[in-house]
């Protein structure tokens, strides 16, 4: 996660200049559509994260049949406790390669007689013979081990026994292990960084979802919770951190007489293996205590000295207290460490007591006084703190209900952020960051439902693929809707009951529905049209979302799944029907909540008169996860209302109304002219978050080079300039009166869309001097991840061919970039008018090297982008010739179909522009 924009400087003159620049840049963004300086953002190189009761001696939920590569463990052994020693053999300045070793003793309870102990292990080598002690009730008893078998495909280790483990008895499995310490940011990894001008190394871990098994043999499933005693052996110059406080630090010598430090940690709470965490570093920290919870923020020494982590320290405690008070469940640990890692693929991770973050997600420069950066840090920290309850205290039974972790944490991240940044507008930011983006994604074929059966997950998805916008943003949006129709009071009451029932244990979504139903049944204020499970399963167990169509003449509302009208052949077990809460207003007055629980229903209250002032608005403030398609009568009245009195419609509803009509246009429900009619009022729109959305719809990122229609550009420029000037003067007036007036306006920033364009344009109109400056800024150690991404894109905007070719050559260098970035550079370059030909030639010339590094994935990604430049049969033949030489026959056929479809799509887009041009010509003087 990262900020979506950059605040301009503090001086009034600079702000005025920057604001004017932003206005001009918006027009430049339009120009870029037609071959000037716009660019697409390709995918990032890596995919954003009381005392325990006595262990329950019942088996966790049993596994469904699994594929060999995704094997679930048998349920005959239940882990109770781990004694774990980890020894990363790393010294400062050491060149590598690096390794780690360790010993794990796992106390298990036998639930069913067995002659084998099966647990997870991946990429580890055994060190010494495995031992099984027990039954523990018999002093000195052991079970003879016949052999230790490692099954790499199933990622398990099997202790084959000569005797049997007996049901009802406890045993200890003792295993020594060794592994390689890589720089791949998964499992236990090493990373290099610079601090105070010196090169340094640190060791950290990222074990979610299934990387614990790459660090130590374990029962690596979320429902197999246990307690842990951990000790870490490390170089004396480093400090070691884990989930619990350190209770003893001692010394030991290895077989060569070299000295090592041993840090021992207190016994953990009962938790899942993916939450165990380890950091070995040479960091400094800042600290404070909140309600007995010692909070420490660890980071590079120069960052701590500069005060970059002070803001994170100041917000962590209050958010903790807010969540404790709101949920009425205490945080059960005595300490919390937050570590700012210079390189971290996950963005942030909620490990209990030892949260890890990419440092750009945790650092705030005190010189930056504006809200945007602070808000994003508060949101990310709040998300990870929310996990301390949703995910750590109560964990989903299996990954198919991952949204119970990530969706709920994504909901609470905004509630927590508002506590420490009260000037933020919760609803505006939530809809801008969460609801609108996922509505744009959750409408394609093949997009999964929020909750899946275990069998479907294993058969079709890797676990990593579940960490996506459906889980996070749709989960949060559905939670927002649920809280809305229940009322927040009842919703929080149900969550408290759910948390207390399943503390230090596991749950599935039906468990949550049961606790909500219990709260609903105990009161009379809120009445639901069906059971909580029936309502919510309609949203979580089928993919996509509905669009409601309203006929004002009859008062009829119908629903259907929101899909592209050009391709509607689809069926599912729910027959495309949801149980939908409808918040609505009539003529500016809020009305009682209504429910649509069938495919179509008549609501007499929504029939309107012939008066042009009689209008209806559904899904007020976007409380529901759906779109609305109004009939022409209501759209005409709403357009008139916007031109005469836009404030009569709440800001978030204006945002939703315009975004809905453009989405409906894109999917063939209405004509583009209908959507454009709703933009006439924009001269009276003073909400920047609405302007950002309008520009993202009028300047869609997927149209850059296929729509070079120079007839449309001057018309659109003139149309928008007239409507943008009032908001420019509005904010310019604020700045002239008080330079600090915009500090707390989250959306008063150069939007991310425009910021990328400004940087791109600077490189495009410059020479090698400007390009080299961008390269120098990219390589600065204090540049944020977001800054680096924008600069990475901007450097591909160069107009001189030799600069682009040099940039692509840089991308092949292992010393200048990590391998993850080579494909990103190619994809940035291929989206540019000049760069796409150079990048394509670069790919074909270097294909043997690129193919060995990336395989066919890079080729597929490049093809998707190159398709935007395919307009003629000759171009298709040129691309096809290369694919014929590199792809298998079935892949060549699929490629041909894709290229032909792309050509058709490009033709359709040009036809759309003709319609836009006609409408603009008629309406420029309005």
């Amino acid at each position: 996660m990262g900020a979506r924009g950059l605040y301009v400087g503090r001086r009034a003159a600079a702000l005025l200049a920057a604001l004017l620049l932003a206005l001009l840049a918006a027009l430049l963004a339009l120009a870029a559509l037609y071959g000037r300086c716009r660019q697409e953002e390709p995918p990032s190189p890596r995919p954003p994260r009381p005392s325990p009761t006595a262990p329950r001696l019942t088996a966790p939920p049993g596994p469904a049949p699994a594929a060999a590569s995704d094997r679930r463990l048998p349920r005959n052994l239940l882990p109770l406790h781990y004694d774990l020693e980890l020894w990363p053999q790393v010294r400062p300045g050491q060149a590598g390669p690096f390794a780690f070793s360790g010993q794990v003793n796992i106390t298990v309870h036998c639930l069913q007689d067995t002659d084998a102990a099966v647990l997870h292990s991946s990429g580890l080598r055994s060190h010494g013979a495995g031992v099984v002690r027990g039954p523990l009730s018999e002093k000195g008893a052991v079970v003879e081990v016949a052999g230790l078998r490692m099954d790499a495909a199933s990622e398990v280790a099997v202790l084959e026994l000569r005797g049997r483990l007996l049901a009802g008895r406890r045993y200890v499995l003792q295993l020594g292990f060794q592994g390689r310490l890589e720089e791949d940011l998964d499992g236990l990894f090493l990373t290099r960084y610079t601090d105070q001008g010196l090169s340094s190394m640190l060791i950290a871990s990222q074990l979610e979802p299934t990387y614990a098994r790459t660090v130590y043999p374990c029962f690596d499933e979320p429902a197999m919770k246990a307690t842990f005693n951990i000790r870490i052996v490390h170089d004396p110059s480093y400090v070691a951190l884990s989930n619990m406080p350190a209770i003893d630090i001692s010394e030991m010598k290895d077989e060569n007489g070299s000295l090592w430090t041993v840090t021992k940690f207190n016994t953990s709470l009962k938790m899942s293996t993916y939450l165990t965490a380890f950091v070995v570093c040479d960091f400094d920290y800042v600290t404070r205590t909140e309600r007995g919870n010692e909070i420490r923020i660890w980071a590079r020494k120069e960052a701590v000295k500069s005060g970059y982590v002070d803001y994170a320290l100041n917000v962590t405690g209050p958010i903790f207290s807010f969540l404790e008070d709101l949920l009425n469940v205490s945080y059960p640990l005595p300490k919390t460490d937050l570590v700012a890692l210079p390189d971290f693929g996950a963005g942030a991770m909620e490990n209990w007591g030892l949260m890890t973050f990419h440092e750009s997600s945790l650092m705030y420069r005190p010189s930056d006084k504006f809200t945007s950066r602070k808000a994003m840090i508060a949101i990310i920290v709040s998300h990870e703190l929310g996990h301390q309850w949703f995910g750590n205290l109560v964990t989903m039974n299996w990954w198919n209900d991952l949204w119970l972790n990530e969706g709920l944490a994504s909901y609470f991240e905004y509630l927590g952020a508002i506590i420490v940044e009260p000037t933020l507008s919760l609803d505006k930011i939530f809809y801008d960051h969460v609801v609108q983006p996922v509505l744009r994604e959750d409408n394609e074929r093949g997009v999964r439902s929020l909750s899946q059966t275990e069998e479907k997950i294993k058969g079709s998805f890797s676990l990593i693929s579940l960490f996506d916008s459906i889980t996070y943003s749709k989960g949060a949006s559905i939670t927002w809707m649920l809280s809305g129709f229940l009322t927040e009071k009842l919703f929080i009451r149900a969550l408290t009951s759910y948390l207390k029932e399943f503390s230090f244990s596991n749950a599935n979504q039906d468990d949550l529905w049961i606790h909500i139903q219990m709260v609903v049944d105990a009161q009379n204020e809120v009445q639901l049209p069906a059971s909580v499970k029936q309502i919510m399963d309609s949203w979580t167990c089928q993919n996509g979302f509905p669009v409601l169509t309203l006929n004002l003449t009859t008062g009829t509302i119908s629903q259907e799944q929101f899909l592209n009208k050009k391709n509607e052949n689809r069926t599912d077990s729910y027959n495309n029907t949801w149980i939908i809460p409808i918040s609505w207003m009539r003529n500016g007055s809020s009305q009682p909540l209504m429910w649509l629980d069938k495919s179509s229903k008549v609501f007499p209250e929504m029939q309107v008169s012939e008066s042009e002032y009689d209008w209806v608005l559904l899904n007020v403030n976007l409380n529901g996860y759906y779109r609305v398609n109004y009939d022409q009568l209501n759209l005409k009245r709403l357009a008139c209302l916007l031109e005469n009195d836009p404030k009569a419609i709440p800001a978030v509803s204006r945002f939703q109304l315009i975004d809905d009509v453009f989405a409906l246009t894109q999917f063939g429900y209405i004509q583009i002219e209908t959507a454009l009619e709703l933009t006439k009022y924009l001269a009276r729109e003073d909400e920047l978050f609405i302007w950002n959305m309008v520009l993202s719809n009028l300047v869609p990122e997927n149209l850059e080079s296929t729509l070079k229609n120079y007839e449309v550009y001057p018309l659109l420029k003139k149309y928008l300039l007239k409507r943008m000037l009032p908001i420019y003067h509005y904010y310019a007036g604020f700045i002239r009166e008080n330079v600090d007036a915009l500090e707390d306006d989250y959306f008063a920033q150069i939007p991310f869309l425009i910021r990328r364009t400004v940087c791109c344009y600077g490189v495009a109109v410059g020479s090698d001097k400007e390009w080299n400056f961008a390269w120098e800024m990219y390589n600065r150690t204090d540049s944020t991840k977001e800054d680096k991404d924008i600069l990475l894109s901007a450097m591909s905007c160069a107009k001189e061919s030799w600069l682009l070719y040099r940039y692509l050559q840089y991308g092949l260098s292992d010393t200048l970039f990590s391998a993850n970035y080579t494909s990103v550079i190619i994809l940035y370059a291929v989206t540019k008018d000049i760069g796409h030909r150079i990048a394509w030639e670069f790919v074909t010339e270097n294909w043997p090297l690129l193919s060995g590094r990336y395989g066919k994935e890079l080729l597929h990604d490049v093809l998707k982008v190159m398709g935007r430049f395919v307009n003629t049969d000759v171009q298709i033949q040129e691309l096809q010739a290369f694919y014929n030489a590199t792809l298998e026959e079935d892949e060549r056929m699929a490629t041909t179909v894709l290229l032909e479809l792309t050509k058709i799509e490009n033709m359709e887009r040009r036809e759309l522009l003709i319609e836009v041009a006609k409408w603009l010509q008629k309406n420029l003087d309005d």
Side-chain angles (χ1 to χ4, degrees):
M1 298 173 67
R4 291 167 61 107
L6 170 70
Y7 275 104
V8 290
R10 285 179 53 81
R11 303 313 312 155
L15 276 170
L16 282 168
L19 194 58
L20 181 58
L21 177 62
L23 174 63
L24 295 175
L27 301 176
L28 287 172
L30 296 172
L33 275 178
Y34 313 105
R36 301 191 182 182
C37 63
R38 287 277 295 125
Q39 67 285 330
E40 177 184 336
E41 178 183 4
S44 62
R46 291 184 56 83
R49 319 179 74 75
S51 62
T53 57
R56 299 180 182 178
L57 303 184
T58 56
S69 61
D70 213 354
R71 179 173 175 176
R72 296 287 297 276
L73 296 177
R75 286 326 193 234
N76 46 30
L77 297 178
L78 179 68
L80 303 177
H81 179 75
Y82 292 76
D83 284 301
L84 173 63
E85 176 183 283
L86 276 181
W87 185 354
Q89 288 136 29
V90 175
R91 299 287 196 183
Q94 185 178 343
F98 302 99
F100 66 92
S101 60
Q103 174 74 32
V104 64
N105 300 336
I106 311 173
T107 303
V108 298
H109 182 81
C110 185
L111 299 171
Q112 188 176 24
D113 289 6
T114 180
D115 59 3
V118 183
L119 64 163
H120 285 113
S121 179
S122 177
L124 299 173
R125 301 183 304 278
S126 62
H127 181 61
V131 176
V132 177
R133 291 194 293 110
L136 295 184
S137 57
E138 301 174 17
K139 188 174 181 179
V142 296
V143 179
E144 186 177 354
V145 177
L148 174 61
R149 177 168 55 86
M150 309 297 287
D151 186 340
S154 296
E155 300 185 341
V156 297
V158 182
L159 280 166
E160 296 171 329
L161 309 174
R162 298 194 191 279
R164 294 180 70 79
L165 306 184
L166 303 177
R169 307 292 184 89
R170 295 189 179 191
Y171 300 84
V172 176
L173 313 181
Q174 299 183 180
L175 295 163
F177 56 91
Q178 296 174 325
R180 294 183 61 183
L181 197 56
E182 306 283 5
E183 298 182 46
D184 57 1
L185 307 182
D186 288 324
L188 191 67
F189 63 88
L190 180 140
T191 187
R192 305 170 192 271
Y193 64 99
T194 301
D195 191 8
Q196 298 177 326
L198 301 175
S199 296
S200 301
M201 297 185 295
L202 64 79
I203 298 153
S205 63
Q206 168 58 30
L207 305 189
E208 188 182 32
T210 57
Y211 295 113
R213 66 191 67 175
T214 70
V215 181
Y216 59 98
C218 58
F219 294 82
D220 195 15
E221 297 188 8
M224 290 187 154
K225 291 189 172 184
T227 55
F228 292 79
N229 278 344
I230 293 169
R231 71 176 196 161
I232 300 176
V233 182
H234 56 94
D235 185 88
S237 65
Y238 292 138
V239 62
L241 305 173
S242 189
N243 304 82
M244 299 299 289
I247 57 173
D248 183 67
I249 298 177
S250 58
E251 294 180 345
M252 61 167 270
K253 291 184 178 180
D254 62 21
E255 57 189 14
N256 299 318
S258 298
L259 194 66
W260 296 84
T261 296
V262 181
T263 301
K264 182 179 179 182
F265 300 91
N266 209 346
T267 304
S268 78
L269 303 177
K270 188 179 176 184
M271 63 183 184
S272 304
T273 49
Y274 79 85
L275 292 171
T276 54
F278 324 98
V279 173
V280 178
C281 64
D282 183 24
F283 276 1
D284 277 348
Y285 68 90
V286 290
T287 184
R288 65 179 283 180
T289 300
E290 182 87 8
R291 296 182 177 178
N293 175 16
E294 183 187 11
I295 298 168
R296 298 182 296 185
I297 315 286
W298 298 80
R300 291 179 291 112
K301 294 177 180 178
E302 63 186 7
V304 172
K305 184 178 180 181
S306 301
Y308 290 175
V309 294
D310 290 352
Y311 176 76
L313 179 68
N314 292 335
V315 302
T316 300
I319 295 173
F320 254 129
S321 296
F322 163 73
L323 290 172
E324 278 190 323
D325 293 341
L326 180 69
L327 298 169
N328 194 27
V329 177
S330 298
Y331 177 68
L333 273 66
K335 70 93 177 176
T336 304
D337 289 316
L338 292 78
V339 184
L341 300 173
D343 197 7
F344 189 51
M349 178 62 201
E350 67 267 18
N351 314 299
W352 224 354
L354 180 57
M355 287 172 268
T356 44
F357 299 77
H358 191 287
E359 64 177 25
S360 63
S361 299
L362 208 57
M363 290 188 183
Y364 170 74
R365 295 184 181 91
S367 59
D368 185 355
K369 300 298 183 183
F370 289 95
T371 303
S372 176
R373 188 75 196 146
K374 291 196 292 185
M376 292 313 302
I377 293 170
I379 287 170
I380 294 168
V381 169
S382 185
H383 180 96
E384 304 309 324
L385 295 183
H387 272 308
Q388 307 309 296
W389 287 265
F390 301 102
N392 298 5
L393 184 65
V394 178
T395 312
M396 73 271 143
N397 276 330
W398 184 244
W399 301 102
N400 59 312
D401 277 331
L402 178 62
W403 81 270
L404 292 176
N405 285 20
E406 299 297 351
L408 289 170
S410 297
Y411 169 79
F412 280 100
E413 73 186 45
Y414 290 91
L415 301 189
I418 296 301
I419 292 301
V420 294
E421 291 294 335
T423 60
L424 295 176
S425 173
L426 174 60
D427 54 353
K428 293 177 186 176
I429 293 178
F430 189 80
Y431 303 134
D432 184 70
H433 283 215
V434 180
V435 183
Q436 188 218 24
V438 75
L439 284 174
R440 289 281 172 181
E441 295 182 32
D442 191 23
N443 50 39
E444 300 295 336
R445 295 185 179 283
V447 174
R448 62 180 179 82
S449 59
L450 187 57
S451 180
Q452 300 267 4
T453 63
E454 293 184 23
E455 296 88 343
K456 195 166 185 180
I457 292 283
K458 288 181 207 152
S460 309
F461 299 90
S462 70
L463 295 182
I464 291 293
S465 70
L466 298 177
F467 292 80
D468 61 5
S469 62
I470 298 298
T471 293
Y472 287 75
S473 296
K474 183 174 183 177
S477 301
I478 295 301
T479 303
W480 183 279
M481 179 176 67
L482 174 60
S483 176
F485 71 72
L486 282 177
T487 71
E488 183 176 340
K489 180 180 71 173
L490 294 184
F491 180 56
I492 296 299
R493 187 182 300 166
L495 287 181
T496 299
S497 173
Y498 165 82
L499 289 170
K500 291 182 175 179
E501 170 70 20
F502 296 102
S503 288
F504 307 104
S505 187
N506 299 79
N508 58 39
Q509 74 169 15
D510 280 353
D511 294 318
L512 178 58
W513 304 156
I514 288 170
H515 281 263
I516 295 174
Q517 190 68 57
M518 287 165 52
V519 168
V520 170
D521 292 344
Q523 53 81 54
N524 297 314
E525 295 177 17
V526 175
Q527 301 296 320
L528 302 179
S531 70
V532 172
K533 177 176 171 58
Q534 286 176 304
I535 295 170
M536 295 310 299
D537 278 1
S538 76
W539 295 95
T540 62
C541 294
Q542 65 176 351
N543 64 319
F545 59 88
V547 56
L548 305 192
T549 299
L550 171 62
N551 183 320
L552 282 185
T553 304
T554 63
T556 302
I557 300 179
S558 60
Q559 63 164 297
E560 61 182 305
Q561 184 163 359
F562 185 67
L563 288 171
N564 197 320
K565 284 286 191 179
K566 300 172 185 175
N567 190 2
E568 281 190 324
N569 298 323
R570 178 175 171 33
T571 59
D572 59 41
S573 58
Y574 279 79
N575 197 28
N576 298 337
T577 301
W578 288 258
I579 302 178
I580 305 171
I582 303 175
S583 57
W584 66 294
M585 64 166 51
R586 182 166 182 171
N587 305 334
S589 299
S590 295
Q591 304 296 317
L593 185 73
M594 312 285 269
W595 288 87
L596 179 62
D597 54 2
K598 55 185 71 172
S599 59
S600 181
K601 191 174 181 179
V602 175
F603 296 90
E605 307 94 322
M606 294 187 187
Q607 292 176 316
V608 297
S609 67
E610 294 182 0
S611 169
E612 64 181 80
Y613 302 108
D614 196 3
W615 52 271
V616 168
L617 190 74
L618 303 188
N619 201 12
V620 176
N621 284 331
L622 236 169
N623 283 326
Y625 186 70
Y626 53 89
R627 294 197 185 277
V628 179
N629 181 17
Y630 297 103
D631 60 14
Q632 286 298 315
L633 174 63
N634 201 49
L635 278 175
K636 189 173 295 185
R637 292 181 181 182
L638 290 173
C640 182
L641 178 67
L642 286 173
E643 291 190 65
N644 294 319
D645 184 14
K647 301 289 185 179
I649 299 177
V652 170
S653 290
R654 298 199 301 275
F655 176 101
Q656 169 218 352
L657 176 63
I658 298 173
D659 192 55
D660 277 359
V661 293
F662 276 105
L664 290 163
T665 296
Q666 180 185 354
F667 274 44
Y669 288 81
I670 61 176
Q671 299 299 310
I672 184 63
E673 294 86 348
T674 302
L676 291 171
E677 286 290 331
L678 288 176
T679 67
K680 288 182 176 180
Y681 89 100
L682 285 171
R684 301 189 64 179
E685 183 54 77
D686 58 6
E687 291 282 359
L688 284 173
F689 87 112
I690 294 177
W691 266 107
N692 289 344
M693 178 273 298
V694 169
L695 287 176
S696 72
N697 278 294
L698 288 175
V699 192
E701 291 190 9
N702 64 345
L703 300 180
E704 282 94 345
S705 298
T706 55
L707 301 180
K708 300 176 187 177
N709 189 313
Y710 288 95
E711 293 181 3
V712 171
Y713 167 64
L715 296 173
L716 195 53
K717 174 183 175 181
K718 184 176 180 181
Y719 180 79
L720 281 179
L721 181 60
K722 177 180 179 181
R723 286 159 177 79
M724 293 177 78
L725 281 175
I727 195 170
Y728 164 73
H729 291 303
Y730 175 80
Y731 278 94
F734 267 113
I735 296 168
R736 289 191 189 97
E737 294 175 11
N738 179 9
V739 68
D740 296 327
L742 298 183
E743 282 190 6
D744 293 327
D745 188 339
Y746 177 82
F747 291 98
Q749 54 186 299
I750 299 178
F752 192 74
L753 169 75
I754 297 174
R755 183 184 172 199
R756 298 176 71 87
T757 300
V758 171
C759 292
C760 177
Y761 190 71
V763 171
V765 300
S767 63
D768 59 330
K769 179 180 178 181
E770 284 73 23
W771 195 98
N772 290 335
F773 174 76
W775 175 252
E776 179 184 339
M777 294 298 294
Y778 176 84
N779 286 290
R780 280 180 52 167
T781 58
D782 62 345
S783 294
T784 66
K785 191 167 184 270
E786 181 190 52
D787 292 336
K788 284 180 178 291
D789 182 58
I790 288 175
L791 290 166
L792 201 69
S793 171
M795 287 184 285
S796 69
C797 298
K799 296 296 185 184
E800 298 187 43
S801 300
W802 70 273
L803 281 174
L804 278 172
Y805 193 79
R806 184 181 73 176
Y807 186 35
L808 290 164
Q809 288 289 347
Y810 281 4
L812 289 179
S813 169
D814 291 333
T815 57
L816 297 177
F817 290 103
S818 71
N820 290 328
Y821 283 91
T822 309
S823 62
V824 177
I825 292 170
I826 293 171
L827 290 173
Y828 273 136
V830 84
T831 62
K832 309 305 184 298
D833 284 342
I834 293 176
H836 86 268
R837 170 56 57 180
I838 295 171
W840 178 247
E841 291 175 356
F842 179 82
V843 168
T844 56
E845 291 170 4
N846 294 278
W847 181 245
L849 174 62
L850 293 170
S851 178
R853 184 180 289 184
Y854 298 104
K856 293 187 175 65
E857 283 189 21
L858 172 63
L859 199 58
H860 292 157
D861 289 341
V862 171
L863 171 63
K864 290 176 185 176
V865 181
M866 285 297 293
R868 300 192 188 153
F869 302 89
V870 175
N871 295 299
T872 67
D873 292 336
V874 173
Q875 290 172 317
I876 288 180
Q877 291 168 6
E878 182 182 358
L879 290 177
Q880 194 68 56
F882 177 73
Y883 289 114
N884 288 343
T886 57
L887 299 179
E888 302 297 331
E889 183 177 355
D890 58 337
E891 294 175 316
R892 290 201 300 269
M893 293 176 60
T895 299
T896 302
V897 172
L898 179 59
L899 288 172
E900 290 288 354
L901 288 174
T902 302
K903 180 182 175 182
I904 294 171
E905 288 175 3
N906 292 343
M907 293 174 60
E908 290 176 348
R909 288 167 182 161
R910 287 195 297 274
E911 291 172 1
L912 176 65
L913 271 191
I914 293 173
E915 299 302 317
V916 172
K918 288 179 180 177
W919 187 91
L920 288 171
Q921 287 172 339
K922 293 178 182 177
N923 290 277
L924 274 180
D925 296 329
D926 286 357

